[in-house]
Amino acid sequence: MKPGSGLRATWLGALFALAAAGTVLAANEEEAPKRGGTLTYMIPADAPPSFDGHREGTFATLHAVAPFYSVLIRINPENPSSTTDFVCDLCTALPEPTHGGKTYTFKIRDGIKFADGSPLTAADVAASWNHIIYPPKGVLSPRQSWYEMVDTVSAPDPSTVVFHLKFATSAFLPALADPFTFIYKKQILDKDPRWFEKNIMGSGPFKFVEYQVGQSISGTRNPDYYHKGLPYLDGFTGIFADKQVVRVDAIRSDRAAIEFRGFPPSARDELKKALGDKLAVQASDWNCGNLVTPNDKKKPFDDPRVRRALTLAIDRWHGAPALAKIADVKAVGGIVFPGAPLAASKAELEQIAGFWPDIDKSRAEARRLLKEAGADGLSFELLNRSVDQPYKYVGIWLVDQWSKIGLHVTQRVLPTGPELDALRNGNFQVALIANCHGVVNPLLDVQAFLPSSVYSGNYGYFEDPQEVDLYNKMLRETDFGKQRALMRNFEKYVVDTQAHEIWVLWWHRIIPYQSYVKGWKISPSHYLDQDLATIWLDK
């Protein structure tokens, strides 16, 4: 056995059970792809907060600009429902780790060009990864903590990139396949590390054409794309629309062919009734869900009794089936993607506050805690995102749930950009946000529950050394059984004992689209496989 291969095999073997999560109700696509045409698709947001994949975590950025960029490795676009099938994008072959699983050496393809015609080399790859892992002062990198195991990233020659790790961990390879890790030009990063927030220039399957603020973004086929024969499309146009009714009407009238994020069952049924066999549908469990984040700097949310009362009031077991009829939510689960080997069983979950099977007992305890904390009858504001599905629906439901324990809650609904500003500035009391990821990688996916000093995308404004210690032990544990036990301890502590974060429900991804769209396969994430390279139009 090669050094480090046993560690990876143990973890990847455990994850194979998730590989078939998607359900497809679509035409047989064993046809020869056709070249040409322009794909028009909907992006369910008002606008991306910026174009910089290293800075942002929203699909609004990824759906707009992923077609313009390359990454080092990725989930296989032919098998996107897999959690283990990684393939090279810029590299030539996936390396076996050496030095006890602590060194990964990648060879970079020859002849790759950026959109401006300049060559892409290992120096650009290393610079991009160093920008993510070690961002310059004043530059935001929300996934920086995912790579805390990385010691150095270097380019010893124009075709070689080497990652040296501080410690071996099964979380590293899936983290490397994150779809936000665009490869930027080193010369530009060196001159202005924030240039890519407002500008686009990559080496992906498409070249940038135009961005109309809050309206659309478009691209044209990159003739120099290094994956020969791709892309099939001549170009694409993504149309921004934060209202579901607008997006449904666009697909029904064929002004757009698809939306890659997801619709609720009612929208699917409406489109199916209107379009019949002209509509195809794919559905999957979704590595995405809502959580409630109390701001620990705003009293009384610095009191764990108040935070715990908020989760105890929520009837997830009865609420999920009802919400699933109108919103793209479905599964009740803990902080790990349902069905993953590290996820809690139903019996384990029912021992956690907010998941008790007796909702009356749960709400009685919530009222007791509020009274003890001097917060009974509390009024507060819930910050929410101006996206119909499922934020607004879940927000309305939560307001009703909290009213059952005597709380008076109003919502402040903001567009994506201003909402992120409010979160980043701490200008809120309680917020409804999402924890969404690409590759299912539970050891890193749960970082959203860590203090912001560890994970910059956490907006709870708390510090908790005990929680961080629990997490670090789990990240470094390579025995699966011990790792799973540590995950249960971490889950119980963060969402029950301290209730720093309040996990709500997992989402369910439903994609109805015009049946002439071919070559696209659903995954458990609306972040994966968004470069559009394999899509073709049968018309």
Side-chain angles (χ1 to χ4, degrees), residues 135-209:
K137 185 177 181 179
V139 173
L140 182 64
S141 181
R143 288 167 293 279
Q144 180 182 10
S145 60
W146 289 11
Y147 306 100
E148 64 177 281
M149 75 288 287
V150 178
D151 187 17
T152 62
V153 186
S154 61
D157 62 60
S159 63
T160 306
V161 175
V162 182
F163 290 80
H164 288 293
L165 307 188
K166 301 169 188 173
F167 55 90
T169 173
S170 54
F172 176 66
L173 194 66
L176 213 61
D178 178 65
F180 285 94
T181 55
F182 303 152
I183 301 304
Y184 294 151
K185 188 173 179 178
K186 181 179 186 299
Q187 183 181 2
I188 294 175
L189 282 177
D190 289 345
K191 184 178 180 180
D192 181 1
R194 300 188 65 172
W195 186 87
F196 290 94
E197 292 179 22
K198 297 182 179 180
N199 301 278
I200 296 171
M201 207 278 288
S203 56
F206 295 90
K207 290 187 175 183
F208 176 71
V209 173

Side-chain angles (χ1 to χ4, degrees), residues 313-370:
I314 303 170
D315 186 1
R316 295 162 176 85
W317 297 111
H318 293 96
L323 272 176
K325 297 176 181 179
I326 58 172
D328 48 12
V329 299
K330 187 175 184 179
V332 178
I335 63 175
V336 177
F337 184 64
L342 285 175
S345 67
K346 188 172 187 290
E348 290 169 332
L349 200 58
E350 288 181 343
Q351 303 304 309
I352 296 174
F355 297 90
W356 299 350
D358 186 340
I359 188 60
D360 292 332
K361 174 185 174 183
S362 184
R363 287 175 176 162
E365 174 64 6
R367 286 188 288 269
R368 185 193 70 79
L369 288 171
L370 288 172

